[in-house]
mmCIF file of all heavy atoms in Angstrom:
data_model
loop_
_atom_site.group_PDB
_atom_site.id
_atom_site.type_symbol
_atom_site.label_atom_id
_atom_site.label_comp_id
_atom_site.label_asym_id
_atom_site.label_seq_id
_atom_site.Cartn_x
_atom_site.Cartn_y
_atom_site.Cartn_z
ATOM 1 N N ARG A 38 -15.165 -19.640 -3.497
ATOM 2 C CA ARG A 38 -14.286 -18.511 -3.189
ATOM 3 C C ARG A 38 -14.761 -17.769 -1.969
ATOM 4 O O ARG A 38 -13.962 -17.329 -1.143
ATOM 5 C CB ARG A 38 -14.163 -17.582 -4.397
ATOM 6 C CG ARG A 38 -13.224 -18.136 -5.471
ATOM 7 C CD ARG A 38 -12.914 -17.125 -6.529
ATOM 8 N NE ARG A 38 -14.069 -16.771 -7.312
ATOM 9 C CZ ARG A 38 -14.562 -17.460 -8.325
ATOM 10 N NH1 ARG A 38 -13.979 -18.579 -8.698
ATOM 11 N NH2 ARG A 38 -15.604 -17.040 -9.006
ATOM 12 N N SER A 39 -16.086 -17.590 -1.819
ATOM 13 C CA SER A 39 -16.568 -16.900 -0.630
ATOM 14 C C SER A 39 -16.290 -17.719 0.638
ATOM 15 O O SER A 39 -15.979 -17.179 1.671
ATOM 16 C CB SER A 39 -18.047 -16.523 -0.740
ATOM 17 O OG SER A 39 -18.864 -17.660 -0.888
ATOM 18 N N PHE A 41 -13.716 -19.788 0.968
ATOM 19 C CA PHE A 41 -12.271 -19.634 1.168
ATOM 20 C C PHE A 41 -11.980 -18.265 1.807
ATOM 21 O O PHE A 41 -11.197 -18.163 2.750
ATOM 22 C CB PHE A 41 -11.554 -19.766 -0.177
ATOM 23 C CG PHE A 41 -10.086 -19.426 -0.102
ATOM 24 C CD1 PHE A 41 -9.207 -20.266 0.539
ATOM 25 C CD2 PHE A 41 -9.608 -18.286 -0.722
ATOM 26 C CE1 PHE A 41 -7.845 -19.950 0.599
ATOM 27 C CE2 PHE A 41 -8.241 -17.957 -0.664
ATOM 28 C CZ PHE A 41 -7.373 -18.803 -0.009
ATOM 29 N N ALA A 42 -12.643 -17.219 1.309
ATOM 30 C CA ALA A 42 -12.449 -15.881 1.858
ATOM 31 C C ALA A 42 -12.870 -15.855 3.323
ATOM 32 O O ALA A 42 -12.174 -15.289 4.181
ATOM 33 C CB ALA A 42 -13.222 -14.838 1.055
ATOM 34 N N THR A 95 -16.854 -8.756 -2.334
ATOM 35 C CA THR A 95 -17.364 -9.698 -3.311
ATOM 36 C C THR A 95 -16.275 -10.702 -3.613
ATOM 37 O O THR A 95 -15.115 -10.318 -3.875
ATOM 38 C CB THR A 95 -17.751 -8.967 -4.616
ATOM 39 O OG1 THR A 95 -18.760 -8.015 -4.311
ATOM 40 C CG2 THR A 95 -18.259 -9.936 -5.661
ATOM 41 N N ALA A 96 -16.603 -11.970 -3.549
ATOM 42 C CA ALA A 96 -15.652 -13.012 -3.950
ATOM 43 C C ALA A 96 -15.714 -13.099 -5.474
ATOM 44 O O ALA A 96 -16.552 -13.786 -6.038
ATOM 45 C CB ALA A 96 -16.009 -14.341 -3.296
ATOM 46 N N GLY A 97 -14.863 -12.309 -6.134
ATOM 47 C CA GLY A 97 -14.853 -12.262 -7.590
ATOM 48 C C GLY A 97 -14.078 -13.440 -8.145
ATOM 49 O O GLY A 97 -14.255 -14.578 -7.731
ATOM 50 N N THR A 98 -13.163 -13.140 -9.059
ATOM 51 C CA THR A 98 -12.330 -14.209 -9.612
ATOM 52 C C THR A 98 -11.388 -14.708 -8.531
ATOM 53 O O THR A 98 -11.191 -14.052 -7.507
ATOM 54 C CB THR A 98 -11.512 -13.677 -10.807
ATOM 55 O OG1 THR A 98 -10.574 -12.708 -10.307
ATOM 56 C CG2 THR A 98 -12.389 -13.068 -11.876
ATOM 57 N N ALA A 99 -10.768 -15.833 -8.790
ATOM 58 C CA ALA A 99 -9.808 -16.366 -7.837
ATOM 59 C C ALA A 99 -8.678 -15.353 -7.612
ATOM 60 O O ALA A 99 -8.243 -15.146 -6.477
ATOM 61 C CB ALA A 99 -9.254 -17.702 -8.331
ATOM 62 N N GLY A 100 -8.230 -14.706 -8.680
ATOM 63 C CA GLY A 100 -7.163 -13.716 -8.561
ATOM 64 C C GLY A 100 -7.578 -12.514 -7.750
ATOM 65 O O GLY A 100 -6.795 -11.987 -6.932
ATOM 66 N N GLU A 101 -8.813 -12.063 -7.953
ATOM 67 C CA GLU A 101 -9.329 -10.916 -7.170
ATOM 68 C C GLU A 101 -9.456 -11.264 -5.693
ATOM 69 O O GLU A 101 -9.115 -10.449 -4.835
ATOM 70 C CB GLU A 101 -10.687 -10.459 -7.721
ATOM 71 C CG GLU A 101 -10.601 -9.821 -9.080
ATOM 72 C CD GLU A 101 -11.948 -9.671 -9.759
ATOM 73 O OE1 GLU A 101 -12.911 -10.358 -9.375
ATOM 74 O OE2 GLU A 101 -12.037 -8.844 -10.685
ATOM 75 N N THR A 102 -9.953 -12.460 -5.416
ATOM 76 C CA THR A 102 -10.115 -12.891 -4.019
ATOM 77 C C THR A 102 -8.761 -12.993 -3.344
ATOM 78 O O THR A 102 -8.561 -12.524 -2.219
ATOM 79 C CB THR A 102 -10.876 -14.216 -3.967
ATOM 80 O OG1 THR A 102 -12.157 -14.050 -4.589
ATOM 81 C CG2 THR A 102 -11.064 -14.691 -2.531
ATOM 82 N N THR A 103 -7.796 -13.573 -4.042
ATOM 83 C CA THR A 103 -6.447 -13.693 -3.497
ATOM 84 C C THR A 103 -5.832 -12.326 -3.267
ATOM 85 O O THR A 103 -5.199 -12.072 -2.225
ATOM 86 C CB THR A 103 -5.569 -14.546 -4.424
ATOM 87 O OG1 THR A 103 -6.142 -15.852 -4.523
ATOM 88 C CG2 THR A 103 -4.144 -14.654 -3.913
ATOM 89 N N ALA A 104 -5.992 -11.401 -4.222
ATOM 90 C CA ALA A 104 -5.436 -10.042 -4.080
ATOM 91 C C ALA A 104 -6.013 -9.352 -2.853
ATOM 92 O O ALA A 104 -5.306 -8.706 -2.092
ATOM 93 C CB ALA A 104 -5.693 -9.232 -5.340
ATOM 94 N N PHE A 105 -7.344 -9.492 -2.644
ATOM 95 C CA PHE A 105 -7.994 -8.911 -1.462
ATOM 96 C C PHE A 105 -7.406 -9.480 -0.180
ATOM 97 O O PHE A 105 -7.031 -8.747 0.729
ATOM 98 C CB PHE A 105 -9.508 -9.151 -1.518
ATOM 99 C CG PHE A 105 -10.174 -9.034 -0.185
ATOM 100 C CD1 PHE A 105 -10.289 -7.801 0.450
ATOM 101 C CD2 PHE A 105 -10.667 -10.157 0.479
ATOM 102 C CE1 PHE A 105 -10.886 -7.689 1.701
ATOM 103 C CE2 PHE A 105 -11.269 -10.056 1.715
ATOM 104 C CZ PHE A 105 -11.373 -8.821 2.330
ATOM 105 N N LEU A 106 -7.314 -10.804 -0.110
ATOM 106 C CA LEU A 106 -6.851 -11.451 1.111
ATOM 107 C C LEU A 106 -5.381 -11.110 1.392
ATOM 108 O O LEU A 106 -5.013 -10.878 2.543
ATOM 109 C CB LEU A 106 -7.063 -12.954 1.031
ATOM 110 C CG LEU A 106 -8.543 -13.386 1.018
ATOM 111 C CD1 LEU A 106 -8.649 -14.841 0.667
ATOM 112 C CD2 LEU A 106 -9.222 -13.049 2.337
ATOM 113 N N GLU A 107 -4.565 -11.043 0.347
ATOM 114 C CA GLU A 107 -3.166 -10.655 0.549
ATOM 115 C C GLU A 107 -3.043 -9.217 1.002
ATOM 116 O O GLU A 107 -2.224 -8.916 1.890
ATOM 117 C CB GLU A 107 -2.371 -10.896 -0.745
ATOM 118 C CG GLU A 107 -2.141 -12.356 -1.036
ATOM 119 C CD GLU A 107 -1.447 -12.633 -2.347
ATOM 120 O OE1 GLU A 107 -1.254 -11.682 -3.158
ATOM 121 O OE2 GLU A 107 -1.104 -13.800 -2.591
#
Side-chain angles (χ1 to χ4, degrees):
R38 282 190 295 278
S39 61
F41 172 70
T95 300
T98 66
E101 291 167 340
T102 301
T103 299
F105 159 69
L106 293 169
E107 288 175 352

